[in-house]
Amino acid sequence: MSLDADLLFDRRRLKRQLSFWRVAAIGAGLLAALVAFGSISDTFERTHIARLSVEGLILEDQSRDDAIRAAADDPKIAALVVTINSPGGTVVGGEDLYRALVKLGEKKPVVAVLGTLATSAAYMTAIAADRVYAREGTTTGSIGVIMQTAEVTGLLGKLGISAEAIKSSPLKAAPSPLEVLTPDARAAARAVVDDMQVMFIGMVAERRKLDAATAQRLSDGRVYTGRLALATKLLDAIGDEAAARDWLERERNIAKGLPVRALTIRRESAPFAGLASAIFGNTFLSEGLILDGLGSVWHPDLTIGGPRGGHARR
């Protein structure tokens, strides 16, 4: 009887050991599968095309520019596609975005794809790319700089209101809607606009490989359709993002099968920022305020709801 009990005990112990090793083997197999999956996922993450969407008014944006600079050194990003649907914005906003993209292009391919509207500072952004695509009906161009003011002294006089400013010099705060624009103030404002226009034309000539006279002629502020822009060499081809990816594969050996993912832009959220944007973000008042200063923008109608036709701002 004692021998049978010992055999039964040994058999049960052996079963427990076998069960342990079976579980261990299954666990090891699962772990190996997870590691392999992680490696595949990591490879997948390393090989994707980033997409930067430029929409609405182009302003200074440190978070956006930081993300572009980080993309230049990110081994996960093989190329950047910049999709643009914007009337332009401030000169400095466009300049910052342009220079960040040119710098990125020194390390990785950059392709721009223009949507419905890509004018002024938005066109400045586009020419930072290695290749520029647009639709036939895209509105682009409007290569120029603008400084606007309104003089309301006549209206104020009719209302019995007078305005007075004590200034350190005659050109301080000029032009101003509260005083008549003097010839000296007009000349000073013109010099600022002309200087920035020289910068813009230089960008166009360099990036589009145009001689100075041609770049000057094309930079008179007019807008072009995609077809006209192609004929004047302001862009490279008619096409969409798929065409851009074909070019990346054909000319830069960037596999067409790679996934496209939005460029990650990390922003610090400020209290009530979302509420303020929701209330004021798309009004005439907000757009007028944020464009105070030098602008490079083509905006047919600054009313609630954005561009709707009418005449172009120059």
Side-chain angles (χ1 to χ4, degrees):
M1 240 358 235
S2 176
L3 181 59
D4 291 341
D6 289 341
L7 288 173
L8 181 60
F9 177 78
D10 290 339
R11 185 177 297 172
R12 288 177 177 174
R13 184 176 60 182
L14 181 59
K15 285 183 178 180
R16 285 196 297 268
Q17 290 175 345
L18 290 174
S19 297
F20 170 79
W21 287 113
R22 285 195 187 102
V23 172
I26 293 171
L30 290 174
L31 181 60
L34 289 173
V35 169
F37 179 77
S39 298
I40 294 172
S41 298
D42 188 53
T43 301
F44 181 76
E45 287 288 344
R46 281 198 305 269
T47 54
H48 71 275
I49 298 170
R51 179 194 293 120
L52 173 65
S53 297
V54 178
E55 299 178 340
L57 290 174
I58 298 173
L59 308 174
E60 295 173 72
D61 188 338
Q62 188 64 52
S63 298
R64 174 203 64 203
D65 298 343
D66 287 344
I68 295 172
R69 280 188 284 270
D73 298 318
D74 189 344
K76 300 174 184 177
I77 297 175
L80 179 69
V81 173
V82 185
T83 60
I84 302 174
N85 190 10
S86 165
T90 65
V91 173
V92 172
E95 180 187 357
D96 282 351
L97 186 48
Y98 167 89
R99 299 199 186 285
L101 291 173
V102 168
K103 195 70 175 175
L104 172 62
E106 294 174 359
K107 296 184 176 181
K108 297 178 181 180
V110 179
V111 184
V113 180
L114 314 187
T116 299
L117 190 62
T119 49
S120 298
Y123 180 71
M124 182 187 292
T125 298
I127 60 176
D130 302 314
R131 190 166 177 85
V132 183
Y133 286 88
R135 312 311 201 276
E136 291 188 356
T138 293
T139 299
T140 188
S142 186
I143 301 167
V145 180
I146 184 172
M147 178 189 289
Q148 285 186 315
T149 187
E151 194 257 292
V152 297
T153 56
L155 175 61
L156 293 179
K158 292 180 180 180
L159 297 175
I161 300 172
S162 61
E164 184 176 354
I166 300 173
K167 305 192 294 184
S168 60
S169 59
L171 296 182
K172 179 66 177 176
S176 167
L178 302 181
E179 61 185 21
V180 176
L181 187 64
T182 67
D184 286 346
R186 181 177 287 105
R190 165 58 63 186
V192 170
V193 170
D194 288 348
D195 184 55
M196 289 296 94
Q197 177 69 346
V198 169
M199 179 189 75
F200 199 166
I201 294 174
M203 291 174 174
V204 173
E206 178 183 358
R207 298 298 299 181
R208 298 307 306 162
K209 295 179 174 55
L210 301 172
D211 61 78
T214 300
Q216 177 77 42
R217 177 174 56 82
L218 296 175
S219 302
D220 61 359
R222 75 181 67 191
V223 295
Y224 302 87
T225 64
R227 288 159 55 97
L228 290 172
L230 178 62
T232 53
K233 300 183 179 180
L234 290 176
L235 57 89
D236 296 295
I238 299 297
D240 54 11
E241 187 172 313
R245 295 192 63 185
D246 286 339
W247 180 83
L248 284 171
E249 182 176 54
R250 184 174 64 254
E251 301 295 333
R252 297 302 179 88
N253 297 318
I254 305 296
K256 190 176 179 180
L258 293 179
V260 178
R261 302 188 177 188
L263 182 67
T264 300
I265 301 177
R266 293 181 174 82
R267 302 186 185 278
E268 295 182 5
S269 58
F272 308 113
L275 179 61
S277 176
I279 296 174
F280 301 110
N282 198 28
T283 65
F284 171 87
L285 177 63
S286 66
E287 291 182 332
L289 288 175
I290 58 181
L291 284 178
D292 188 20
L294 280 175
S296 183
V297 60
W298 183 82
H299 214 313
D301 188 15
L302 280 177
T303 57
I304 296 176
R308 298 188 197 170
H311 64 280
R313 295 180 72 226
R314 286 285 182 268

